mmCIF file of all heavy atoms in Angstrom:
data_model
loop_
_atom_site.group_PDB
_atom_site.id
_atom_site.type_symbol
_atom_site.label_atom_id
_atom_site.label_comp_id
_atom_site.label_asym_id
_atom_site.label_seq_id
_atom_site.Cartn_x
_atom_site.Cartn_y
_atom_site.Cartn_z
ATOM 1 N N ALA A 1 111.959 89.224 109.604
ATOM 2 C CA ALA A 1 111.676 89.855 108.400
ATOM 3 C C ALA A 1 110.494 89.212 107.754
ATOM 4 O O ALA A 1 110.054 88.045 108.012
ATOM 5 C CB ALA A 1 112.890 89.681 107.332
ATOM 6 N N LEU A 2 109.862 89.996 106.811
ATOM 7 C CA LEU A 2 108.819 89.455 105.929
ATOM 8 C C LEU A 2 109.337 89.317 104.458
ATOM 9 O O LEU A 2 109.724 90.405 103.968
ATOM 10 C CB LEU A 2 107.606 90.370 105.882
ATOM 11 C CG LEU A 2 106.644 90.273 107.064
ATOM 12 C CD1 LEU A 2 107.279 90.844 108.378
ATOM 13 C CD2 LEU A 2 105.421 91.141 106.818
ATOM 14 N N LYS A 3 109.438 88.217 103.885
ATOM 15 C CA LYS A 3 109.940 88.081 102.513
ATOM 16 C C LYS A 3 108.688 87.671 101.610
ATOM 17 O O LYS A 3 107.922 86.761 102.001
ATOM 18 C CB LYS A 3 111.036 86.958 102.399
ATOM 19 C CG LYS A 3 112.295 87.324 103.191
ATOM 20 C CD LYS A 3 113.321 86.214 102.905
ATOM 21 C CE LYS A 3 114.629 86.621 103.534
ATOM 22 N NZ LYS A 3 115.683 85.516 103.197
ATOM 23 N N LEU A 4 108.590 88.334 100.531
ATOM 24 C CA LEU A 4 107.320 88.250 99.742
ATOM 25 C C LEU A 4 107.418 87.481 98.441
ATOM 26 O O LEU A 4 108.450 87.760 97.651
ATOM 27 C CB LEU A 4 106.933 89.776 99.428
ATOM 28 C CG LEU A 4 107.030 90.775 100.652
ATOM 29 C CD1 LEU A 4 106.758 92.171 100.178
ATOM 30 C CD2 LEU A 4 106.042 90.314 101.653
ATOM 31 N N LEU A 5 106.448 86.568 98.269
ATOM 32 C CA LEU A 5 106.495 85.662 97.157
ATOM 33 C C LEU A 5 105.243 85.957 96.281
ATOM 34 O O LEU A 5 104.161 86.184 96.695
ATOM 35 C CB LEU A 5 106.439 84.246 97.588
ATOM 36 C CG LEU A 5 107.545 83.752 98.568
ATOM 37 C CD1 LEU A 5 107.267 82.370 99.021
ATOM 38 C CD2 LEU A 5 108.897 83.783 97.879
ATOM 39 N N ASN A 6 105.426 85.757 94.923
ATOM 40 C CA ASN A 6 104.267 85.867 93.972
ATOM 41 C C ASN A 6 103.695 84.493 93.912
ATOM 42 O O ASN A 6 103.959 83.513 94.607
ATOM 43 C CB ASN A 6 104.833 86.402 92.603
ATOM 44 C CG ASN A 6 105.850 85.413 91.963
ATOM 45 O OD1 ASN A 6 105.907 84.247 92.280
ATOM 46 N ND2 ASN A 6 106.674 85.962 91.050
ATOM 47 N N ASP A 7 102.737 84.355 92.847
ATOM 48 C CA ASP A 7 102.020 83.093 92.835
ATOM 49 C C ASP A 7 102.749 81.906 92.331
ATOM 50 O O ASP A 7 102.280 80.788 92.372
ATOM 51 C CB ASP A 7 100.734 83.246 92.009
ATOM 52 C CG ASP A 7 100.904 83.748 90.591
ATOM 53 O OD1 ASP A 7 102.127 83.973 90.285
ATOM 54 O OD2 ASP A 7 99.939 84.083 89.942
ATOM 55 N N LYS A 8 103.959 82.122 91.828
ATOM 56 C CA LYS A 8 104.875 81.071 91.384
ATOM 57 C C LYS A 8 105.746 80.645 92.577
ATOM 58 O O LYS A 8 106.571 79.731 92.393
ATOM 59 C CB LYS A 8 105.812 81.512 90.299
ATOM 60 C CG LYS A 8 105.064 81.861 88.982
ATOM 61 C CD LYS A 8 106.066 82.053 87.878
ATOM 62 C CE LYS A 8 105.429 82.502 86.602
ATOM 63 N NZ LYS A 8 105.559 83.847 86.244
ATOM 64 N N GLY A 9 105.677 81.232 93.759
ATOM 65 C CA GLY A 9 106.497 80.912 94.859
ATOM 66 C C GLY A 9 107.892 81.445 94.714
ATOM 67 O O GLY A 9 108.853 81.073 95.310
ATOM 68 N N GLU A 10 108.004 82.564 93.847
ATOM 69 C CA GLU A 10 109.260 83.274 93.678
ATOM 70 C C GLU A 10 109.178 84.654 94.228
ATOM 71 O O GLU A 10 108.136 85.237 94.360
ATOM 72 C CB GLU A 10 109.595 83.403 92.192
ATOM 73 C CG GLU A 10 109.700 81.997 91.498
ATOM 74 C CD GLU A 10 109.638 82.057 90.007
ATOM 75 O OE1 GLU A 10 109.666 83.129 89.385
ATOM 76 O OE2 GLU A 10 109.451 80.927 89.357
ATOM 77 N N PHE A 11 110.392 85.191 94.601
ATOM 78 C CA PHE A 11 110.467 86.534 95.167
ATOM 79 C C PHE A 11 109.893 87.586 94.186
ATOM 80 O O PHE A 11 110.181 87.515 93.007
ATOM 81 C CB PHE A 11 111.825 86.947 95.601
ATOM 82 C CG PHE A 11 112.346 86.215 96.827
ATOM 83 C CD1 PHE A 11 113.411 85.377 96.769
ATOM 84 C CD2 PHE A 11 111.609 86.329 98.059
ATOM 85 C CE1 PHE A 11 113.875 84.691 97.817
ATOM 86 C CE2 PHE A 11 112.032 85.638 99.148
ATOM 87 C CZ PHE A 11 113.167 84.796 99.057
ATOM 88 N N ILE A 12 109.077 88.473 94.735
ATOM 89 C CA ILE A 12 108.519 89.504 93.791
ATOM 90 C C ILE A 12 109.645 90.399 93.260
ATOM 91 O O ILE A 12 110.714 90.503 93.872
ATOM 92 C CB ILE A 12 107.456 90.444 94.528
ATOM 93 C CG1 ILE A 12 108.036 91.224 95.669
ATOM 94 C CG2 ILE A 12 106.306 89.562 94.979
ATOM 95 C CD1 ILE A 12 107.201 92.252 96.251
ATOM 96 N N ASN A 13 109.450 90.965 92.045
ATOM 97 C CA ASN A 13 110.581 91.742 91.427
ATOM 98 C C ASN A 13 110.598 93.146 92.046
ATOM 99 O O ASN A 13 109.785 93.599 92.734
ATOM 100 C CB ASN A 13 110.420 91.687 89.942
ATOM 101 C CG ASN A 13 109.102 92.404 89.437
ATOM 102 O OD1 ASN A 13 108.610 93.268 90.020
ATOM 103 N ND2 ASN A 13 108.620 91.962 88.253
ATOM 104 N N GLY A 14 111.629 93.919 91.476
ATOM 105 C CA GLY A 14 111.808 95.249 91.934
ATOM 106 C C GLY A 14 110.717 96.137 91.826
ATOM 107 O O GLY A 14 110.360 96.974 92.710
ATOM 108 N N GLU A 15 110.080 96.078 90.654
ATOM 109 C CA GLU A 15 108.982 96.987 90.285
ATOM 110 C C GLU A 15 107.797 96.733 91.292
ATOM 111 O O GLU A 15 107.184 97.696 91.880
ATOM 112 C CB GLU A 15 108.488 96.756 88.920
ATOM 113 C CG GLU A 15 107.630 97.729 88.296
ATOM 114 C CD GLU A 15 107.172 97.331 86.855
ATOM 115 O OE1 GLU A 15 107.972 96.764 86.163
ATOM 116 O OE2 GLU A 15 106.051 97.564 86.493
ATOM 117 N N ASN A 16 107.495 95.447 91.454
ATOM 118 C CA ASN A 16 106.372 95.091 92.355
ATOM 119 C C ASN A 16 106.706 95.464 93.778
ATOM 120 O O ASN A 16 105.798 95.972 94.556
ATOM 121 C CB ASN A 16 106.133 93.603 92.365
ATOM 122 C CG ASN A 16 105.749 93.046 91.010
ATOM 123 O OD1 ASN A 16 105.952 91.870 90.677
ATOM 124 N ND2 ASN A 16 105.221 93.832 90.186
ATOM 125 N N GLY A 17 108.014 95.205 94.230
ATOM 126 C CA GLY A 17 108.438 95.656 95.553
ATOM 127 C C GLY A 17 108.257 97.123 95.838
ATOM 128 O O GLY A 17 107.765 97.558 96.883
ATOM 129 N N ALA A 18 108.516 97.956 94.806
ATOM 130 C CA ALA A 18 108.486 99.421 94.977
ATOM 131 C C ALA A 18 107.027 99.807 95.166
ATOM 132 O O ALA A 18 106.699 100.740 95.881
ATOM 133 C CB ALA A 18 109.058 100.062 93.689
ATOM 134 N N GLU A 19 106.133 99.145 94.373
ATOM 135 C CA GLU A 19 104.664 99.377 94.583
ATOM 136 C C GLU A 19 104.164 99.044 95.973
ATOM 137 O O GLU A 19 103.349 99.753 96.535
ATOM 138 C CB GLU A 19 103.877 98.568 93.507
ATOM 139 C CG GLU A 19 104.000 99.137 92.084
ATOM 140 C CD GLU A 19 103.560 98.138 91.010
ATOM 141 O OE1 GLU A 19 102.865 97.071 91.412
ATOM 142 O OE2 GLU A 19 103.829 98.361 89.849
ATOM 143 N N VAL A 20 104.608 97.872 96.496
ATOM 144 C CA VAL A 20 104.209 97.532 97.919
ATOM 145 C C VAL A 20 104.812 98.495 98.938
ATOM 146 O O VAL A 20 104.024 98.912 99.820
ATOM 147 C CB VAL A 20 104.797 96.080 98.245
ATOM 148 C CG1 VAL A 20 104.623 95.735 99.772
ATOM 149 C CG2 VAL A 20 104.261 95.061 97.266
ATOM 150 N N LEU A 21 106.012 99.007 98.760
ATOM 151 C CA LEU A 21 106.666 100.043 99.703
ATOM 152 C C LEU A 21 105.773 101.304 99.570
ATOM 153 O O LEU A 21 105.466 101.948 100.640
ATOM 154 C CB LEU A 21 108.068 100.269 99.249
ATOM 155 C CG LEU A 21 109.131 99.301 99.582
ATOM 156 C CD1 LEU A 21 110.454 99.713 99.048
ATOM 157 C CD2 LEU A 21 109.165 98.991 101.090
ATOM 158 N N ALA A 22 105.347 101.707 98.426
ATOM 159 C CA ALA A 22 104.510 102.944 98.237
ATOM 160 C C ALA A 22 103.162 102.718 99.010
ATOM 161 O O ALA A 22 102.697 103.713 99.669
ATOM 162 C CB ALA A 22 104.275 103.301 96.772
ATOM 163 N N LEU A 23 102.546 101.577 98.853
ATOM 164 C CA LEU A 23 101.274 101.418 99.523
ATOM 165 C C LEU A 23 101.448 101.485 101.103
ATOM 166 O O LEU A 23 100.613 102.004 101.819
ATOM 167 C CB LEU A 23 100.774 100.008 99.203
ATOM 168 C CG LEU A 23 100.091 99.897 97.859
ATOM 169 C CD1 LEU A 23 99.867 98.456 97.479
ATOM 170 C CD2 LEU A 23 98.747 100.625 97.803
ATOM 171 N N ALA A 24 102.582 100.853 101.589
ATOM 172 C CA ALA A 24 102.896 100.921 103.008
ATOM 173 C C ALA A 24 103.031 102.340 103.492
ATOM 174 O O ALA A 24 102.598 102.752 104.529
ATOM 175 C CB ALA A 24 104.114 100.099 103.277
ATOM 176 N N GLU A 25 103.865 103.075 102.698
ATOM 177 C CA GLU A 25 104.105 104.520 102.997
ATOM 178 C C GLU A 25 102.861 105.295 103.108
ATOM 179 O O GLU A 25 102.659 106.084 104.046
ATOM 180 C CB GLU A 25 104.975 105.124 101.877
ATOM 181 C CG GLU A 25 105.677 106.419 102.218
ATOM 182 C CD GLU A 25 106.668 106.353 103.407
ATOM 183 O OE1 GLU A 25 107.404 105.213 103.529
ATOM 184 O OE2 GLU A 25 106.707 107.230 104.130
ATOM 185 N N ASN A 26 101.893 105.126 102.249
ATOM 186 C CA ASN A 26 100.579 105.867 102.184
ATOM 187 C C ASN A 26 99.555 105.269 103.123
ATOM 188 O O ASN A 26 98.444 105.910 103.350
ATOM 189 C CB ASN A 26 100.100 105.993 100.780
ATOM 190 C CG ASN A 26 101.038 106.639 99.872
ATOM 191 O OD1 ASN A 26 101.816 107.567 100.254
ATOM 192 N ND2 ASN A 26 101.184 106.316 98.601
ATOM 193 N N GLU A 27 99.789 104.073 103.626
ATOM 194 C CA GLU A 27 98.843 103.327 104.463
ATOM 195 C C GLU A 27 97.414 103.322 103.762
ATOM 196 O O GLU A 27 96.373 103.596 104.389
ATOM 197 C CB GLU A 27 98.696 103.994 105.883
ATOM 198 C CG GLU A 27 100.109 103.932 106.562
ATOM 199 C CD GLU A 27 100.005 104.316 108.059
ATOM 200 O OE1 GLU A 27 98.833 104.461 108.614
ATOM 201 O OE2 GLU A 27 101.030 104.457 108.719
ATOM 202 N N ASP A 28 97.439 102.958 102.524
ATOM 203 C CA ASP A 28 96.253 103.011 101.632
ATOM 204 C C ASP A 28 95.629 101.718 101.722
ATOM 205 O O ASP A 28 95.643 100.900 100.684
ATOM 206 C CB ASP A 28 96.792 103.458 100.228
ATOM 207 C CG ASP A 28 95.546 103.697 99.344
ATOM 208 O OD1 ASP A 28 94.470 103.740 99.811
ATOM 209 O OD2 ASP A 28 95.693 103.801 98.121
ATOM 210 N N PHE A 29 94.960 101.281 102.802
ATOM 211 C CA PHE A 29 94.417 100.057 103.041
ATOM 212 C C PHE A 29 92.954 100.069 103.194
ATOM 213 O O PHE A 29 92.413 101.046 103.772
ATOM 214 C CB PHE A 29 94.983 99.305 104.236
ATOM 215 C CG PHE A 29 96.496 99.493 104.430
ATOM 216 C CD1 PHE A 29 97.086 99.910 105.634
ATOM 217 C CD2 PHE A 29 97.355 99.228 103.418
ATOM 218 C CE1 PHE A 29 98.444 100.051 105.721
ATOM 219 C CE2 PHE A 29 98.713 99.424 103.469
ATOM 220 C CZ PHE A 29 99.238 99.825 104.663
ATOM 221 N N ASN A 30 92.212 99.011 102.757
ATOM 222 C CA ASN A 30 90.826 98.942 102.906
ATOM 223 C C ASN A 30 90.482 97.569 103.496
ATOM 224 O O ASN A 30 90.504 96.617 102.759
ATOM 225 C CB ASN A 30 90.120 99.215 101.626
ATOM 226 C CG ASN A 30 88.592 99.394 101.746
ATOM 227 O OD1 ASN A 30 88.061 99.488 102.821
ATOM 228 N ND2 ASN A 30 87.861 99.351 100.623
ATOM 229 N N TYR A 31 90.169 97.499 104.739
ATOM 230 C CA TYR A 31 90.010 96.200 105.411
ATOM 231 C C TYR A 31 88.588 95.594 105.236
ATOM 232 O O TYR A 31 87.583 96.426 104.861
ATOM 233 C CB TYR A 31 90.224 96.309 106.922
ATOM 234 C CG TYR A 31 91.711 96.578 107.216
ATOM 235 C CD1 TYR A 31 92.161 97.933 107.506
ATOM 236 C CD2 TYR A 31 92.729 95.671 107.004
ATOM 237 C CE1 TYR A 31 93.448 98.243 107.789
ATOM 238 C CE2 TYR A 31 94.029 95.916 107.230
ATOM 239 C CZ TYR A 31 94.416 97.197 107.566
ATOM 240 O OH TYR A 31 95.783 97.546 107.795
ATOM 241 N N ALA A 32 88.359 94.293 105.331
ATOM 242 C CA ALA A 32 87.155 93.608 105.055
ATOM 243 C C ALA A 32 86.133 93.833 106.134
ATOM 244 O O ALA A 32 86.502 93.928 107.346
ATOM 245 C CB ALA A 32 87.438 92.139 104.790
ATOM 246 N N GLU A 33 84.905 93.764 105.738
ATOM 247 C CA GLU A 33 83.720 93.733 106.749
ATOM 248 C C GLU A 33 83.615 92.418 107.374
ATOM 249 O O GLU A 33 84.218 91.433 106.851
ATOM 250 C CB GLU A 33 82.514 94.221 106.056
ATOM 251 C CG GLU A 33 82.551 95.722 105.631
ATOM 252 C CD GLU A 33 81.277 96.257 105.046
ATOM 253 O OE1 GLU A 33 80.219 95.559 105.148
ATOM 254 O OE2 GLU A 33 81.452 97.338 104.356
ATOM 255 N N VAL A 34 82.825 92.339 108.501
ATOM 256 C CA VAL A 34 82.911 91.182 109.322
ATOM 257 C C VAL A 34 82.558 89.847 108.589
ATOM 258 O O VAL A 34 83.056 88.918 108.848
ATOM 259 C CB VAL A 34 82.087 91.365 110.623
ATOM 260 C CG1 VAL A 34 80.575 91.411 110.317
ATOM 261 C CG2 VAL A 34 82.358 90.325 111.628
ATOM 262 N N ASP A 35 81.629 89.928 107.611
ATOM 263 C CA ASP A 35 81.229 88.721 106.938
ATOM 264 C C ASP A 35 82.232 88.256 105.847
ATOM 265 O O ASP A 35 82.103 87.167 105.354
ATOM 266 C CB ASP A 35 79.809 88.892 106.274
ATOM 267 C CG ASP A 35 78.698 89.074 107.307
ATOM 268 O OD1 ASP A 35 78.811 88.440 108.380
ATOM 269 O OD2 ASP A 35 77.746 89.763 106.953
ATOM 270 N N ASP A 36 83.180 89.147 105.573
ATOM 271 C CA ASP A 36 84.122 88.884 104.505
ATOM 272 C C ASP A 36 85.588 88.599 104.977
ATOM 273 O O ASP A 36 86.508 88.660 104.219
ATOM 274 C CB ASP A 36 84.182 90.051 103.574
ATOM 275 C CG ASP A 36 82.815 90.403 102.957
ATOM 276 O OD1 ASP A 36 82.043 89.335 102.606
ATOM 277 O OD2 ASP A 36 82.370 91.480 102.802
ATOM 278 N N LEU A 37 85.699 88.460 106.281
ATOM 279 C CA LEU A 37 87.087 88.179 106.792
ATOM 280 C C LEU A 37 87.664 86.849 106.224
ATOM 281 O O LEU A 37 86.947 85.907 105.891
ATOM 282 C CB LEU A 37 87.001 88.014 108.287
ATOM 283 C CG LEU A 37 86.686 89.279 109.122
ATOM 284 C CD1 LEU A 37 86.493 88.957 110.581
ATOM 285 C CD2 LEU A 37 87.662 90.412 108.856
ATOM 286 N N GLY A 38 88.975 86.821 106.045
ATOM 287 C CA GLY A 38 89.659 85.715 105.424
ATOM 288 C C GLY A 38 89.575 84.558 106.414
ATOM 289 O O GLY A 38 89.521 84.614 107.649
#
């Protein structure tokens, strides 16, 4: 599994989780160009 944490190191709340699920459903992603990779 992937368990998701916010910047306090705590599990994200229900509202945030629903937003993440919606992004996954729509595959609404914009990946970085080669000079900007993490």
Side-chain angles (χ1 to χ4, degrees):
L2 283 67
K3 293 184 176 180
L4 311 175
L5 303 175
N6 62 22
D7 56 3
K8 296 190 182 105
E10 297 165 16
F11 288 119
I12 63 171
N13 65 30
E15 193 184 325
N16 299 158
E19 290 166 7
V20 173
L21 288 175
L23 284 167
E25 194 64 33
N26 298 327
E27 299 190 12
D28 188 9
F29 318 130
N30 187 15
Y31 296 101
E33 293 183 14
V34 70
D35 291 329
D36 301 320
L37 295 174

